[in-house]
Amino acid sequence: MLLWLLGAALLARAAGFYLPGLAPVSFCEPGKDQVPDCKSTIELFVNRLDSVESVLPYEYTAFDFCSEKTLKRPSENLGQVLFGERIEPSPYKFEFKKPAVCQKVCTRTYDASNPTDKAKLDFLKKGMLLNYQHHWIVDNMPVTWCYDVEDGQKFCNPGFPIGCYVTEAGRPKDACVVNSNFNEKDAFYIFNHVDITIHYHIVEHEQLGARLVAAKIEPKSYENPNDDSPDCSGGPKFLKNKYTGVFKIPYTYSVNFVEDKNIRWASRWDYILESMPHTNIQWFSIMNSLVIVLFLSGMVAMIMLRTLHKDIARYNQMDSVEDAQEEFGWKLVHGDVFRPPRKGMLLSVFLGSGTQIFIMTFVTLFFACLGFLSPANRGALMTCAVVLWVLLGTPAGFVAARLYKSFGGEKWKTNVLLTALLCPGVVFADFFVMNLILWGEGSSAAMPFGTLVAILALWFCISVPLTFIGAYFGFKKAGIEHPVRTNQIPRQIPEQSFYTKPLPGIVMGGILPFGCIFIQLFFILNSIWSHQMYYMFGFLFLVFIILVITCSEATILLCYFHLCAEDYHWQWRSFLTSGFTAVYFLVYAIHYFFSKLQITGLASTILYFGYTMIMALIFFLFTGTIGFFACFWFVTKIYSVVKVD
């Protein structure tokens, strides 16, 4: 099993970025494009702008940059729309292997006395103050800004800033530290020129032409004495905070081509990913998690083989009822252990939704490991997860119905409706409120009305009917056969010590699973809120397996201790024990917000916590379901080998 997992991790590392079905594009010099399917014009696309200081992304056109009005936008998948990606064509176009110097794109003129122009200029200043970043795309690859960081290492950022701000005290913020000439107090410096370097690799043994393997950019700022015919000269272009009058911004670019024989097309993302942190930390985290798993596995094995084996052997050798009455511990509660729990309807609904989330997560991560959902295939991860969730209504309905029937429930219509509508409804309501805030702020992440209707259609026209089908088969099937009969009169539970009371057990149960995932969680939160690329799906799949094992074993251990203390209410407790990991996740997300992020503004803060609540709910159902089924298997197993008259 472990070898197979390591193989999956290595496969993800090796093959993660040659995406099946994503064909390379060949480029030729102008006039030499007789080769079929060989382009000579390189188009540059622009994506939404985002910031680590704000959760609100904005479309490229919101900032009044040079834009291409006539061309049609590329179509976007559901995942891109949900993440607020808005890819548009741009006026930046160049011929392959034709260098250009200081080409004018457009000039924007603002009159500070005109309210419309002033609003545009203020919005641009706000973008620079919050360090909003451009995201440009060439040949489906991010255009990167590479710069030196400590220890002589290079960091390649798949985005570059609009500009930067120098405070009234003369302290440069963000990107203003890169140039000592950015020294005007209380002024905004605009990056109105870009030097683009395109690296290409000539294909030798296949058809003629070249393939693009990297696109790098260096943002610069030029005053340009003559705004209408810029020559990329003069000092940096800045705008005083309290400027009045007419202000012109000429936008220009230079492009250069470099042949690179070392990088192949299939591994062209590597230079971005290698500059991202922390594979060694990942291995440390995995080893740390494996130690926890080994410790827990040892404990569970010891209970199973030693204690239980000895108990069962002794219990089965007894001849008289008197002997049995002298026994104590988990064997005494055999007549109550399968007694239906209180609020069985709600528990069965949670378990149905949790099963849906578990299968969705497993399949999505498996596909990601095989390289189908790499960063090159934008929005694929989210699209895959949503489509799988919709199609997995049947197992949700089946599990909820089957467990509800075993709990002795008879209100099957209510059960089906709650399974189909309760948890998805809570997530959708939260998402809808977040969408209203985004819409009010004019953000590109606000979902269009058409997409909202499409998601509701997926939910009500596909997911709900599939849940009904699953529930029909779940109720039709004979109830779950328990290994022991349930007594008519409930047994009284003796006074419990502090450690076997419900709350301390539940709080302790979540610590170990959270310990296995918190380092991985840091990278996932970084990819969501700090806009770093997440590509380590091999590691994530390993951590997913470790989390499942840890949740199962921690719950089984605590379940055994509670049964030994003659407390047979294990159903809700097993769900909440591993589900409590989500509470630790929530606490960690709050710590991450205050210690790692520089998010400002009320809307951004509400959005952060709104989306975090959705993640915590999904994680709660996911981990709780693992804990319940592990405990259910354990209880069924140990009571099936006990001889009961």
Side-chain angles (χ1 to χ4, degrees):
M1 178 68 176
L2 197 60
L3 282 171
W4 183 82
L5 285 172
L6 286 169
L10 289 169
L11 181 70
R13 193 82 183 103
F17 301 99
Y18 190 88
L19 187 71
L22 193 70
V25 179
S26 294
F27 290 91
C28 305
E29 290 178 62
K32 294 185 183 175
D33 50 3
Q34 297 87 0
V35 181
D37 303 324
C38 197
K39 294 183 175 180
S40 60
T41 304
I42 298 172
E43 288 182 86
L44 192 147
F45 290 92
V46 291
N47 203 343
R48 52 96 191 262
L49 286 88
D50 54 34
S51 161
V52 292
E53 294 178 37
S54 171
V55 176
L56 304 163
Y58 287 103
E59 290 192 40
Y60 179 81
T61 47
F63 288 95
D64 196 39
F65 298 124
C66 307
S67 57
E68 192 75 66
K69 298 265 190 299
T70 52
L71 289 173
K72 199 167 144 255
R73 294 171 105 168
S75 59
E76 287 163 341
N77 59 38
L78 182 62
Q80 287 174 289
V81 175
L82 286 173
F83 272 127
E85 289 203 9
R86 298 289 181 270
I87 297 172
E88 301 171 31
S90 79
Y92 295 86
K93 289 181 178 58
F94 11 88
E95 301 295 312
F96 180 64
K97 283 178 83 171
K98 248 177 104 174
V101 179
C102 204
Q103 294 289 310
K104 180 184 170 185
V105 186
C106 73
T107 301
R108 289 283 190 247
T109 306
Y110 303 96
D111 183 353
S113 58
N114 179 328
T116 311
D117 284 1
K118 188 175 185 310
K120 286 179 181 175
L121 211 51
D122 286 345
F123 194 65
L124 191 64
K125 286 198 267 189
K126 178 190 163 190
M128 288 187 271
L129 190 65
L130 292 174
N131 195 26
Y132 269 83
Q133 308 259 325
H134 283 286
H135 294 281
W136 289 4
I137 301 159
V138 165
D139 189 31
N140 199 35
M141 258 193 87
V143 178
T144 55
W145 178 35
C146 295
Y147 49 87
D148 292 320
V149 288
E150 68 269 5
D151 305 331
Q153 290 182 310
K154 251 195 172 8
F155 178 72
C156 290
N157 182 10
F160 66 95
I162 302 173
C164 56
Y165 176 60
V166 177
T167 62
E168 289 180 22
R171 189 174 64 82
K173 275 190 77 190
D174 304 314
C176 278
V177 298
V178 300
N179 192 331
S180 57
N181 293 330
F182 294 176
N183 50 22
E184 187 73 30
K185 291 179 182 177
D186 196 23
F188 292 92
Y189 285 86
I190 298 142
F191 291 128
N192 60 340
H193 173 84
V194 285
D195 282 338
I196 303 167
T197 307
I198 290 181
H199 297 252
Y200 63 91
H201 171 90
I202 291 178
V203 184
E204 293 160 8
H205 303 300
E206 298 174 44
Q207 79 252 38
L208 296 166
R211 286 175 186 167
L212 307 188
V213 291
K216 296 182 183 177
I217 203 163
E218 197 174 336
K220 291 184 176 171
S221 181
Y222 290 119
E223 179 61 52
N224 290 313
N226 184 353
D227 286 330
D228 296 314
S229 56
D231 57 355
C232 301
S233 64
K237 182 88 176 171
F238 65 87
L239 167 66
K240 291 292 282 183
N241 195 11
K242 298 180 175 64
Y243 182 84
T244 52
V246 177
F247 186 72
K248 286 187 176 182
I249 308 174
Y251 289 98
T252 55
Y253 73 90
S254 299
V255 64
N256 193 23
F257 293 86
V258 175
E259 185 179 352
D260 195 323
K261 293 180 177 172
N262 300 323
I263 304 174
R264 300 197 68 77
W265 185 87
S267 56
R268 63 185 189 157
W269 284 74
D270 287 5
Y271 83 96
I272 305 171
L273 305 176
E274 278 164 11
S275 79
M276 300 226 162
H278 329 313
T279 310
N280 52 350
I281 297 175
Q282 297 281 346
W283 280 117
F284 166 73
S285 138
I286 298 259
M287 294 316 292
N288 165 42
S289 305
L290 283 172
V291 167
I292 293 174
V293 167
L294 285 170
F295 164 71
L296 278 173
S297 301
M299 292 277 282
V300 170
M302 197 171 76
I303 285 173
M304 288 290 205
L305 295 170
R306 193 166 159 217
T307 319
L308 279 174
H309 188 69
K310 203 185 286 178
D311 284 357
I312 291 163
R314 197 168 69 228
Y315 197 63
N316 287 345
Q317 282 165 8
M318 284 182 185
D319 298 323
S320 66
V321 178
E322 288 80 16
D323 286 349
Q325 281 172 348
E326 287 167 23
E327 278 298 316
F328 65 94
W330 60 271
K331 298 162 293 290
L332 281 180
V333 293
H334 68 77
D336 297 273
V337 76
F338 290 107
R339 190 173 298 286
R342 288 192 287 269
K343 303 269 189 298
M345 169 79 83
L346 189 61
L347 181 60
S348 64
V349 167
F350 280 175
L351 290 166
S353 295
T355 306
Q356 193 175 8
I357 292 161
F358 177 83
I359 302 171
M360 176 196 83
T361 311
F362 178 80
V363 177
T364 305
L365 284 178
F366 184 72
F367 278 137
C369 269
L370 295 178
F372 286 100
L373 309 176
S374 78
N377 200 0
R378 291 165 205 286
L381 189 75
M382 194 65 176
T383 308
C384 177
V386 170
V387 169
L388 279 170
W389 179 84
V390 167
L391 297 177
L392 288 166
T394 308
F398 181 81
V399 168
R402 193 127 165 70
L403 286 167
Y404 183 60
K405 189 176 179 181
S406 82
F407 295 157
E410 288 168 4
K411 297 179 185 168
W412 63 271
K413 289 176 187 166
T414 315
N415 180 263
V416 180
L417 284 169
L418 281 176
T419 307
L421 304 175
L422 179 66
C423 297
V426 171
V427 170
F428 185 81
D430 187 328
F431 190 77
F432 185 73
V433 171
M434 297 301 106
N435 203 54
L436 285 177
I437 295 169
L438 288 164
W439 180 69
E441 294 284 331
S443 168
S444 77
M447 205 186 295
F449 181 71
T451 311
L452 217 53
V453 171
I455 284 179
L456 283 171
L458 283 172
W459 180 13
F460 283 104
C461 301
I462 301 174
S463 184
V464 172
L466 285 174
T467 309
F468 273 77
I469 291 167
Y472 169 76
F473 285 110
F475 278 116
K476 203 175 167 195
K477 213 167 161 57
I480 298 168
E481 281 287 322
H482 297 311
V484 285
R485 279 200 311 273
T486 302
N487 296 340
Q488 284 186 329
I489 300 163
R491 180 189 178 83
Q492 194 166 354
I493 297 167
E495 185 68 32
Q496 298 291 305
S497 68
F498 175 74
Y499 293 109
T500 53
K501 281 183 179 162
L503 197 61
I506 288 167
V507 171
M508 284 190 298
I511 293 173
L512 288 170
F514 179 75
C516 291
I517 60 159
F518 82 98
I519 293 180
Q520 199 69 33
L521 205 57
F522 172 74
F523 293 110
I524 293 169
L525 291 176
N526 263 0
S527 75
I528 297 170
W529 303 115
S530 299
H531 314 295
Q532 292 182 6
M533 260 174 228
Y534 191 86
Y535 66 98
M536 294 172 281
F537 295 112
F539 283 124
L540 190 57
F541 194 70
L542 267 174
V543 169
F544 170 81
I545 301 290
I546 288 168
L547 176 66
V548 170
I549 296 168
T550 316
C551 280
S552 307
E553 293 182 344
T555 313
I556 287 171
L557 269 177
L558 288 161
C559 180
Y560 174 73
F561 295 145
H562 288 126
L563 288 174
C564 284
E566 298 175 39
D567 184 349
Y568 50 82
H569 295 308
W570 60 270
Q571 291 99 332
W572 268 111
R573 190 179 290 155
S574 62
F575 184 84
L576 294 172
T577 298
S578 52
F580 205 80
T581 313
V583 176
Y584 290 112
F585 164 75
L586 199 58
V587 171
Y588 182 78
I590 293 166
H591 160 75
Y592 180 84
F593 178 82
F594 288 109
S595 66
K596 297 283 188 294
L597 296 179
Q598 306 119 23
I599 286 177
T600 52
L602 182 65
S604 287
T605 306
I606 293 170
L607 284 164
Y608 176 86
F609 286 106
Y611 286 132
T612 300
M613 291 309 288
I614 292 178
M615 289 191 275
L617 173 64
I618 290 170
F619 196 60
F620 169 70
L621 294 171
F622 167 74
T623 48
T625 302
I626 295 166
F628 175 86
F629 282 113
C631 204
F632 183 75
W633 170 83
F634 172 74
V635 170
T636 309
K637 197 86 180 152
I638 64 169
Y639 285 98
S640 64
V641 290
V642 167
K643 230 175 21 184
V644 179
D645 295 326

